[in-house]
């Protein structure tokens, strides 16, 4: 859309003001100069109140995530890339090919436009890399002190991959439990910045789009029962959800769970359990025990799954308990996080 | 999903705390007790990270809207019903049948759960009335002072109605411009509460789902060129956007534009122009001049279009100017709102 009567905004020096969300000319200018420029694609370029795309072939999958991570920038990513990865992964773990994203921004008055530009550029790069288009969006502005820089809600639409039937309710006794890589990197990358831990080896978020890894896995082992990304609440919350949905028990093998040395050390320092810490680029896979080796080798064949491991098994237990065989030979309950120790991790 | 080991939350007396967004047990409890209960449908009940729906027949339409309206409750609605209507309408004005909504909540620590329950109930009622299902959602919590009660982003998916081709870029010289009812009710309902105007006749928001009205219109006049709901920025911003997208001029007839007496009076009191004030239940229709009467009678045949009017025409003008023939016989430019006079109206 041509905007001939506009004054260009200086993205270097200006800040978000209330007019950028007021539906008038400066909002149109911001959209034109920032969002349309970086996220540009034929659907977004339609310039209407929504986007029109061709018919999808398969059944429809939808997922949505509000992102309120603090700080906005962290080792290994920022709220822009995270908002793409988080929703792409939620669509992918449904057994679907992610296709389109919608993005809604709530900006705080006074937020530097230079930071917003970095975030939108990072979002655009993540979307390009994941092969999804940000087809439509919205921008609102709230007064200083009524928000926190920027919140981004992304909603993803995808089409179900033929023949795949995964659900948190499909775990069965005898199934194997796998994870695609070391746990807790994302959460501890955030916590290390927030608590200013000053680690020798900085912890880098694992934030990544998992649909490629998942497609490789499903091609090799289409009979996968459960896919779930252990985000908020980490492995413990995610496995407890699955065990409740499926009405089964899960027994983990502590020694087999991959945790980076620096993540384990930072957890100890802060009194946290790695099992409770969010990942943003890992997937839990539950499949028939007989297919565990095939699943493991499919995961390890992809760069994002190089450190995949079989970490436990599903057993009969109507109470839905998750337990862990510890490295000391004991067994303990793995409950999910009750408190509020890890707010705003995503 | 069964949640056997949970303590029920008191929705009457408790407030949002950080644990409600932390991915652990109390978040699961809140979802179970509040969101799942009121918004319940088979897709949401799947309990996975997203929702799985049957294949859509037509081309796909997506629209997203972040809602940050303040105050949260106002005459004629609240942020919950508004979040449904706003996105249903964005899908409908694309010429599509709205089908599914995703809803993402950003809650501020300390927000009363009783208010949240009212909002979710209102959202559920609006969705039922509009015939759309809220199929998936997300909840995040931010610290007190980092948000403002509740923000809700809704994303809608719909399927394009066969044979309809509407776009802001399709207005043509000779077309008629119609509006489905009085303008500015929503914006002035909000402003009247915010500025405590204490009017004799309270102004009630026009917030409503327009897909039924639009379906009736398109059945009678499938050759409609443009549909657009004049939300933020009101009639002036919306018509300026259309005139730029279509590279045409628009001439409005001031005397023909429906404005309620109380809305006009409140605007005068606050020094506002009704043309700049947001509606949330009105649609602008641009169609071939010869079909204007048919469009008008289709709109008037629906309860939400009883006061529809032909308010102007499209002319040749590459500069994309919007002008208005005033009631005094003159002609003035209708520019779009430059400043920030109406923040957080939706």
């Amino acid at each position: 859309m041509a905007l001939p009567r506009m004054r260009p905004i200086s993205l270097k020096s200006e800040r978000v003001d209330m007019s950028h969300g007021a539906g008038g000319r400066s909002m149109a200018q911001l959209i034109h100069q920032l969002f349309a420029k970086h996220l540009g694609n034929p659907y977004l370029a339609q310039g209407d109140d929504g986007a029109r795309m061709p018919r999808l072939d398969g059944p429809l999958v939808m997922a949505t995530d509000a992102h309120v991570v603090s700080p906005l920038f962290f080792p290994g990513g920022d709220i822009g890339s995270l908002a793409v990865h988080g929703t792409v992964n939620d669509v992918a773990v449904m057994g679907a090919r992610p296709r389109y994203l919608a993005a809604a921004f709530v900006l705080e008055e006074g937020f530097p436009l230079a930071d917003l530009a970095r975030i939108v550029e990072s979002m655009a790069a993540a979307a390009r890399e994941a092969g999804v288009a940000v087809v439509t969006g919205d921008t609102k502005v709230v007064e200083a002190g009524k928000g926190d820089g920027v919140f981004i809600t992304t909603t993803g639409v995808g089409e179900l991959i033929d023949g795949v039937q995964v659900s948190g309710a499909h775990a069965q006794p005898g199934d194997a439990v796998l994870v695609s890589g070391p746990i807790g990197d994302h959460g501890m990358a955030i916590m290390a910045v927030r608590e200013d831990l000053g680690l020798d080896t900085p912890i880098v978020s694992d934030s990544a789009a998992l649909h490629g890894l998942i497609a490789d896995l499903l091609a090799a082992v289409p009979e996968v029962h459960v896919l779930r990304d252990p985000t908020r609440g980490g492995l413990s919350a995610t496995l407890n959800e699955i065990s409740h949905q499926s009405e089964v028990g899960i027994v983990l093998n502590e020694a087999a769970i991959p945790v980076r040395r620096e993540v384990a050390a930072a957890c100890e320092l802060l009194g946290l359990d790695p099992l409770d810490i969010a990942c943003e680029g890992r997937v839990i896979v539950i499949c028939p025990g007989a297919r565990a080796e095939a699943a493991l080798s499919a995961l390890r064949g992809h760069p994002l799954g190089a450190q995949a491991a079989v970490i436990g098994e599903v057993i009969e237990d109507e109470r839905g308990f998750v337990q862990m065989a510890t490295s000391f030979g004991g067994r303990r309950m793995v409950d999910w996080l009750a408190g509020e120790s890890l707010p705003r991790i995503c």
Side-chain angles (χ1 to χ4, degrees), chain A:
Chain A
M1 147 166 72
L3 294 170
R5 292 176 288 155
M6 299 274 164
R7 177 187 64 81
I9 297 172
S10 164
L11 295 177
K12 279 196 184 152
S13 62
E14 292 187 44
R15 285 169 181 273
V16 169
D17 66 47
M18 296 307 292
S19 75
H20 291 129
R25 187 179 288 186
S26 53
M27 187 173 96
Q29 180 67 23
L30 184 70
I31 290 170
H32 178 71
Q33 218 178 306
L34 187 54
F35 297 103
K37 183 181 161 199
H38 292 295
L39 299 170
N41 60 66
Y43 308 115
L44 193 64
Q46 293 164 359
D48 287 312
D49 282 342
R52 214 177 272 108
M53 278 81 61
R55 194 176 70 140
L56 292 177
D57 287 332
L60 179 70
V61 165
M62 267 181 99
T64 195
D65 255 319
H67 295 86
V68 300
V69 65
S70 172
L72 297 170
F73 301 93
F74 50 82
D78 55 55
I79 192 172
S81 54
L82 186 66
V84 171
H85 296 154
T87 296
V88 161
N89 292 348
D90 277 350
V91 172
V93 296
M94 299 291 292
R97 263 180 298 270
R99 297 293 302 274
Y100 306 113
L101 288 182
F105 293 75
V106 176
L107 307 176
E108 186 188 9
E109 184 187 14
F111 187 66
L113 287 177
D115 286 349
L116 182 61
R118 270 177 74 193
I119 290 166
V120 174
E121 281 171 46
S122 156
M123 188 168 206
R128 259 195 313 276
E129 209 181 300
V132 297
V134 179
V135 296
T136 190
D138 187 36
T139 308
K140 294 281 158 55
V141 179
V142 295
E143 302 86 349
K146 301 289 186 188
D148 195 14
V150 52
F151 302 145
I152 306 176
T153 296
T154 44
T155 306
V157 159
E159 51 196 340
L160 211 60
I161 298 172
D162 219 27
V164 173
Q165 285 196 309
V166 294
S167 166
H170 290 177
Q172 290 173 25
D175 282 357
V177 180
L178 295 84
V179 67
S180 65
I183 61 167
D185 296 9
H186 174 73
M188 291 318 293
I190 301 287
M191 292 303 288
V193 175
R194 214 188 276 165
E195 305 285 330
D196 198 12
L197 291 188
L199 305 171
D200 291 341
T201 318
I203 301 171
V204 177
S205 167
D206 53 282
S207 180
L210 293 171
H211 61 295
L213 175 72
I214 289 172
D216 285 3
L217 168 72
L218 291 173
V221 186
E223 61 269 55
V224 164
H225 289 159
V226 183
L227 292 172
R228 197 58 80 80
D229 53 338
T231 55
R232 270 184 296 176
L235 204 62
S236 56
T238 309
L239 292 179
N240 270 284
E241 272 175 43
I242 294 169
S243 66
H244 275 99
Q245 268 184 280
S246 297
E247 298 178 1
V248 295
I250 292 175
V251 180
L252 295 174
N253 172 9
E254 183 173 23
I257 301 173
V259 183
R260 287 186 203 283
R261 214 155 42 103
E262 59 269 29
V263 169
C267 277
E268 209 169 299
L269 215 60
L270 297 174
L272 297 169
D273 185 336
L275 296 185
D276 292 334
I277 311 300
C279 311
E280 288 288 345
R282 305 292 175 224
V283 61
I284 294 170
V285 179
I286 299 183
C287 69
R291 302 295 288 146
E293 280 307 313
L296 188 64
S297 100
L299 290 172
R300 288 193 174 160
H302 191 282
L304 290 174
Q307 296 180 66
V310 179
I311 60 169
E313 60 176 331
V314 178
I315 60 169
E316 278 192 41
D317 184 351
E318 281 180 11
R319 301 161 306 175
F321 284 177
V322 180
Q323 303 175 65
M324 184 159 73
T326 67
S327 308
F328 305 108
R331 202 177 252 215
R332 74 165 173 91
M333 292 294 298
V334 177
D335 204 354
W336 51 12
L337 192 70
E340 55 179 83
S341 53
L342 294 163
R344 300 186 62 187
I345 225 74
C346 59

